[in-house]
Amino acid sequence: MASNKIVKREVGDRLSSLPDNLLLEILSFLPLKEVMRQSVLSKRWKHVCSMFPNLEFDFDFFFGIGGDDYILLERPYDQSLSVKKFAVNLVLQDPNWANHLDRWIEHVVLPPYSKLEQLTIDLAGVRDLVKAQESPTYDLSRNIFVSKSLVELRLQFCRLQHWPCFKTNLPSLKVLILERIQTEDHAVQNLIDCCRNLEIFFLIDCDGIKRLQVVDQIHLKELMIARNEGLGFIKMDGLSSLFVVVIGSPYSANKLDIQLDHCENIKVLSILGAEIELDWLTGLLAKLPLLEKLTLISCDSLKNITISSRNLKELIIYQLTNLERVTLYTPNLREFDYLGEVIELSTLSVPLINLPIKRSRDDIQKKNNSFDQSPNDVQPPLPYLKKLKYRIINRDVMLGQALDSLFRICSQPEFILLKNYDKSVEYHFLV
């Protein structure tokens, strides 16, 4: 009997006898709310929980715990250095919460030897509550922008305005995500220019920006500048590592001027709602020899497009309202996705789908006859094309005729989707 009690006591003490680093590793698999509950077990557990490196505050924390953040934040100076990830996801309904947030940020960022690596401030946590707020009300603490250890910074529904004239110092920052931020040109420009090791930069749904330059960011790999109301000029130059770019907004009424030079390693490019001309697009594609995927959405100034790219593998064209003709020289194209009005589609040598917007049945029959007279042994102009989606916003398109024409461009398709105003047909082919 006594031996059984001894065994039970030894087993019960094993977990508490583990070193702090192992206990923290175990706690890392729990949400913050559960970690807080362990702190009441004993003084030892309270001490370990106070060193928890991943702090994530949300509505569950506030309403479930009652705001007992002191256990996690009012820690000794040397333990403050253990915080590596700090995240806040809530709506500042109570003005006092902004004071809490400022205090939290100061606690995890300001120590001279802080090891904070990830910082997320998302004040649009509950979407239904945010609808009542037309614009952000929280002014970001300047302490955020002087962290030497910070690697990833995500900010949403905050204000970054009235930027003072001091040098931002984020030498380790690699990921910068700004979404729904109320800001100014010089604030964002200063922030970008002082982060020389950026690898990912997203600027989404932000207000107050009119001009932006992303220059000589030699480590930048992914860039998204989308849906920023009022933004009229973007310059990208000297981005030698950049391979993914998304620019513009498909629904913006503003004219967007894009300058892109010395970014020859781009492989994925999406242009949304920009006022671009054919000469500009042609010249741009000539500068991007490695481009594999191109997306054009709502670029309504384009009437005729010529896509010449030997390396292009995927092409997406959506709702270019004034588009009349697309000419392709893309011998390695594998996927083509089109949505819009009926257009003329051709290669530089052979007509592919030549369907003018207004055509009679006699016109279609004549075109049928002209296709039938073509030699059967002609090499398809897009021999590697496997997936093709052709969706037309028009009732008068004959899907059977379109399918016959599509077989002129790809000899061994895997998937074809044809759709007009009120009918959709999918074809799957055995490989």
Side-chain angles (χ1 to χ4, degrees):
M1 195 68 149
S3 61
N4 290 338
K5 291 183 178 180
I6 294 174
V7 170
K8 289 181 179 179
R9 185 171 64 250
E10 288 178 350
V11 173
D13 290 340
R14 272 182 195 171
L15 190 60
S16 297
S17 64
L18 293 174
D20 289 350
N21 61 329
L22 289 182
L23 290 177
L24 287 171
E25 183 69 23
I26 294 171
L27 290 175
S28 68
F29 293 98
L30 299 176
L32 183 61
K33 187 176 180 179
E34 296 299 324
V35 173
M36 290 290 294
R37 287 174 175 164
Q38 311 311 312
S39 65
V40 301
L41 296 177
S42 66
K43 290 184 178 180
R44 171 76 196 291
W45 278 101
K46 182 177 180 179
H47 165 75
V48 172
C49 290
S50 72
M51 296 189 296
F52 192 63
N54 301 326
L55 306 184
E56 300 183 49
F57 297 108
D58 56 17
F59 269 78
D60 287 340
F61 176 84
F62 273 96
F63 294 116
I65 302 297
D68 293 333
D69 57 342
Y70 68 91
I71 294 178
L72 294 164
L73 292 174
E74 298 300 331
R75 57 182 76 183
Y77 174 79
D78 59 336
Q79 293 180 11
S80 299
L81 308 182
S82 64
V83 179
K84 293 185 178 180
K85 179 181 179 181
F86 183 80
V88 175
N89 185 351
L90 50 83
V91 175
L92 296 181
Q93 294 177 285
D94 187 334
N96 291 326
W97 289 9
N99 296 330
H100 275 288
L101 185 52
D102 287 339
R103 182 170 63 90
W104 297 343
I105 293 172
E106 179 179 352
H107 194 82
V108 298
V109 172
L110 280 187
Y113 302 102
S114 169
K115 296 180 182 179
L116 185 66
E117 296 178 357
Q118 299 180 46
L119 176 60
T120 299
I121 300 178
D122 181 358
L123 303 185
V126 179
R127 306 298 170 182
D128 292 338
L129 296 176
V130 173
K131 291 178 181 178
Q133 299 177 264
E134 296 182 356
S135 60
T137 59
Y138 175 72
D139 290 304
L140 285 164
S141 170
R142 301 299 185 263
N143 295 329
I144 295 174
F145 305 100
V146 292
S147 171
K148 295 183 179 181
S149 61
L150 201 59
V151 176
E152 181 176 316
L153 177 60
R154 297 172 180 265
L155 304 174
Q156 183 169 351
F157 209 71
C158 311
R159 291 194 304 198
L160 181 59
Q161 293 177 310
H162 312 300
W163 196 259
C165 296
F166 73 87
K167 191 73 171 178
T168 302
N169 188 19
L170 296 168
S172 303
L173 195 67
K174 295 183 179 180
V175 178
L176 176 60
I177 311 292
L178 304 179
E179 185 171 358
R180 299 181 68 186
I181 300 294
Q182 187 72 39
T183 186
E184 301 165 334
D185 284 354
H186 68 280
V188 175
Q189 196 63 60
N190 177 59
L191 180 57
I192 298 173
D193 291 344
C194 293
C195 301
R196 307 311 301 174
N197 291 304
L198 277 181
E199 296 182 2
I200 298 174
F201 174 45
F202 288 1
L203 186 72
I204 305 171
D205 282 326
C206 295
D207 290 333
I209 309 171
K210 297 180 180 179
R211 298 174 62 87
L212 181 66
Q213 298 187 53
V214 185
V215 178
D216 295 332
Q217 291 280 356
I218 60 174
H219 302 289
L220 192 63
K221 298 177 182 178
E222 297 184 38
L223 175 64
M224 177 182 287
I225 304 174
R227 304 192 303 272
N228 299 289
E229 192 65 31
L231 182 62
F233 175 79
I234 302 173
K235 179 180 180 180
M236 294 160 284
D237 196 348
L239 310 179
S240 56
S241 299
L242 191 63
F243 66 89
V244 177
V245 181
V246 179
I247 308 172
S249 170
Y251 309 111
S252 176
N254 298 325
K255 181 179 180 180
L256 180 60
D257 182 12
I258 302 173
Q259 293 186 13
L260 196 155
D261 292 295
H262 306 104
C263 304
E264 60 278 355
N265 290 316
I266 292 177
K267 292 185 177 182
V268 179
L269 174 63
S270 298
I271 302 177
L272 320 175
E275 293 287 332
I276 58 177
E277 303 297 334
L278 175 59
D279 290 344
W280 181 90
L281 180 61
T282 302
L284 175 64
L285 295 179
K287 299 176 184 178
L288 305 177
L290 302 181
L291 188 65
E292 295 183 357
K293 180 178 180 179
L294 174 64
T295 300
L296 300 173
I297 300 178
S298 300
C299 299
D300 295 336
S301 58
L302 290 171
K303 292 185 177 180
N304 299 306
I305 299 178
T306 299
I307 306 292
S308 180
S309 174
R310 299 191 66 88
N311 206 52
L312 192 68
K313 295 179 175 62
E314 184 174 354
L315 176 61
I316 299 174
I317 300 176
Y318 284 174
Q319 296 187 334
L320 277 60
T321 56
N322 296 312
L323 187 63
E324 297 177 359
R325 182 181 178 86
V326 176
T327 303
L328 302 178
Y329 179 69
T330 52
N332 291 300
L333 193 67
R334 286 169 169 76
E335 299 185 29
F336 178 52
D337 190 350
Y338 176 80
L339 171 63
E341 296 287 348
V342 179
I343 59 171
E344 295 183 10
L345 177 61
S346 65
T347 64
L348 293 178
S349 56
V350 180
L352 307 183
I353 304 173
N354 193 347
L355 298 175
I357 294 177
K358 294 181 180 180
R359 303 185 60 206
S360 66
R361 291 182 178 274
D362 292 340
D363 291 333
I364 295 175
Q365 185 60 42
K366 290 178 182 178
K367 184 56 66 177
N368 253 342
N369 294 337
S370 66
F371 278 136
D372 291 342
Q373 294 169 3
S374 301
N376 293 328
D377 57 352
V378 173
Q379 173 70 18
L382 301 175
Y384 300 106
L385 188 61
K386 300 298 182 184
K387 297 181 180 180
L388 199 152
K389 298 179 182 180
Y390 193 70
R391 291 168 286 180
I392 305 300
I393 309 173
N394 193 293
R395 291 181 182 272
D396 300 328
V397 177
M398 300 176 64
L399 298 184
Q401 170 61 27
L403 180 63
D404 292 339
S405 301
L406 290 173
F407 276 114
R408 299 288 178 178
I409 60 175
C410 50
S411 58
Q412 295 181 336
E414 296 177 1
F415 173 77
I416 293 179
L417 169 65
L418 299 177
K419 184 176 182 179
N420 61 10
Y421 186 84
D422 55 7
K423 186 176 181 181
S424 177
V425 182
E426 292 186 8
Y427 299 90
H428 297 266
F429 303 91
L430 296 176
V431 180

